Amino acid sequence: MKTLVRTARAFTNIALIKYWGKKNQILKLPCTNSLSLTLDRFYTDTKVTIVNDHHDTVYLNHKLLDQTQNKRILKYLDTVRQFYSFDDHFIVDTVNHVPTSAGFASSASGFAALAAAINETKQLNLNKRELSILARNGSGSASRSIYGGFVEWIAGDSNETSFAAPIDENPQIDLTLLSVVINKGSKKISSTVGMENSVKTSPFYPNWVTLVASEIKEIKQAIAKKDIQRIGEIAEHNAMSMHALTLSANPSFTYFEPETIRIFQIIQELRQKGILAYATIDAGPNVKIICTNKSITKVQKYIEEQLSNVSCVVANIGSGIQYI
């Protein structure tokens, strides 16, 4: 049988209800459920080819990675071989159309695309739930990038019970997202380290678990009603609550930069003017703003007038895994 090699494309997702903290580091099982929106603007393309060799080779953006740079990917490929009992090794060719390690969910699209490419090349015939589980073993948030639209990641308590499930893959809702790029550089504290510090040392972490359970129910109701204002209110509160965990960790740390805080102020100013705009932010300085088609032009113009050193990228609701 001829091996089928196609490029898998996976899109990033932005968590509206955040994933912040693991209860199992090896399986990447989260402490809580989370809920995200897949975006069309940022994505990863990955092709996986089987080679007659005893080691894997990884290219990122057409550059060969050394053993230190691709350690995480090599470990993941070993995990996949163990899961599915094969000995094949691969050439992994990945092109990232998203800033890496800057709070734009590059690991989400990256490992979702890698999982899908392996599934295709090895003809594992995984369904989407199984593919979500496979992606999660590379990066927790990658489980959600298997699907488009609004997606919930079920925390579970084992490898088989922790997976993402679609809420609405093709939502008919007037929601647009504006990504404000402050810094494309890699963050100094990785999400993995930041989560671990927050779980272990923030006195507010138990309250976070309770809050997430409540806000997931609330935002699902808002999604069903297509209530963008309520979606924005809940997402913004959840994001600020997550970053309160980093500020209350010991030692305290933050992903914010001065421009990050200024954008929060700008968003409040816009709302005072009657313009719909709500912020969410992952582990990085870059802010994502929930808007409508009506409000997004005004939001972008106001930000660019106030801050000349940032760039804005408009993103719409994206789809799940594609093959190109």
Side-chain angles (χ1 to χ4, degrees):
M1 183 180 296
K2 186 177 180 180
T3 301
L4 179 65
V5 178
R6 288 196 294 173
T7 298
R9 173 171 292 179
F11 297 86
T12 62
N13 66 77
I14 178 68
L16 303 178
I17 304 296
K18 305 297 184 186
Y19 149 51
W20 196 248
K22 301 183 184 76
K23 59 188 174 185
N24 184 309
Q25 298 287 340
I26 296 174
L27 294 176
K28 298 178 177 59
L29 303 183
C31 295
T32 68
N33 287 20
S34 58
L35 188 147
S36 66
L37 180 65
T38 304
L39 304 174
D40 69 348
R41 182 61 179 83
F42 300 118
Y43 60 92
T44 300
D45 289 339
T46 299
K47 181 172 69 174
V48 169
T49 307
I50 298 173
V51 292
N52 184 20
D53 209 332
H54 297 294
H55 69 275
D56 302 299
T57 304
V58 181
Y59 292 88
L60 175 61
N61 297 333
H62 310 298
K63 294 181 179 179
L64 178 65
L65 299 185
D66 61 32
Q67 293 294 312
T68 301
Q69 293 171 315
N70 66 9
K71 184 177 180 181
R72 184 177 179 185
I73 295 174
L74 295 179
K75 183 178 179 181
Y76 176 68
L77 295 175
D78 286 339
T79 298
V80 177
R81 279 187 280 268
Q82 182 180 356
F83 278 177
Y84 296 101
S85 301
F86 62 78
D87 297 320
D88 292 323
H89 286 74
F90 306 106
I91 294 175
V92 177
D93 191 353
T94 289
V95 179
N96 230 4
H97 300 271
V98 50
T100 303
S101 299
F104 278 104
S106 59
S107 64
S109 60
F111 279 99
L114 179 54
I118 293 171
N119 178 50
E120 191 76 1
T121 298
K122 283 294 297 176
Q123 300 179 40
L124 299 176
N125 299 316
L126 303 181
N127 60 37
K128 283 193 171 182
R129 176 179 292 190
E130 293 167 332
L131 193 56
S132 176
I133 291 170
L134 183 59
R136 188 204 75 238
N137 277 275
S139 171
S141 57
S143 65
R144 300 186 306 239
S145 280
I146 301 302
Y147 299 97
F150 292 104
V151 183
E152 182 176 7
W153 177 13
I154 312 301
D157 55 14
S158 68
N159 190 53
E160 292 74 24
T161 58
S162 183
F163 53 83
I167 296 172
D168 187 347
E169 288 206 81
N170 299 288
Q172 302 303 306
I173 185 170
D174 180 20
L175 190 156
T176 307
L177 196 119
L178 184 69
S179 293
V180 184
V181 185
I182 295 168
N183 189 338
K184 291 184 179 181
S186 298
K187 54 203 173 195
K188 295 179 181 179
I189 300 174
S190 71
S191 297
T192 299
V193 172
M195 286 183 194
E196 188 174 0
N197 289 347
S198 298
V199 173
K200 288 182 177 179
T201 67
S202 171
F204 305 125
Y205 198 83
N207 292 337
W208 165 256
V209 174
T210 303
L211 174 72
V212 167
S214 172
E215 290 192 327
I216 279 191
K217 291 180 182 179
E218 292 178 32
I219 202 167
K220 287 169 78 171
Q221 293 171 355
I223 291 168
K225 294 177 182 178
K226 305 186 190 305
D227 186 342
I228 299 175
Q229 179 175 334
R230 188 63 185 137
I231 291 170
E233 290 171 347
I234 296 167
E236 184 172 288
H237 182 263
N238 186 266
M240 296 303 99
S241 299
M242 186 202 96
H243 285 275
L245 298 175
T246 73
L247 292 168
S248 59
N250 189 10
S252 176
F253 66 99
T254 184
Y255 294 102
F256 294 173
E257 294 185 9
E259 292 86 352
T260 307
I261 297 171
R262 178 60 187 132
I263 289 170
F264 295 150
Q265 295 170 338
I266 288 171
I267 291 167
Q268 291 174 354
E269 293 166 10
L270 286 165
R271 290 207 292 263
Q272 290 171 359
K273 297 174 183 289
I275 299 171
L276 190 147
Y278 291 91
T280 185
I281 178 170
D282 283 336
N286 305 303
V287 183
K288 294 82 177 176
I289 304 174
I290 296 167
C291 308
T292 62
N293 286 327
K294 181 179 179 181
S295 68
I296 193 163
T297 301
K298 295 177 181 178
V299 173
Q300 182 172 350
K301 181 181 178 181
Y302 192 70
I303 289 173
E304 290 174 346
E305 287 174 350
Q306 299 294 316
L307 291 170
S308 60
N309 60 334
V310 303
S311 60
C312 297
V313 181
V314 177
N316 295 304
I317 297 172
S319 64
I321 290 291
Q322 298 177 357
Y323 295 98
I324 57 175

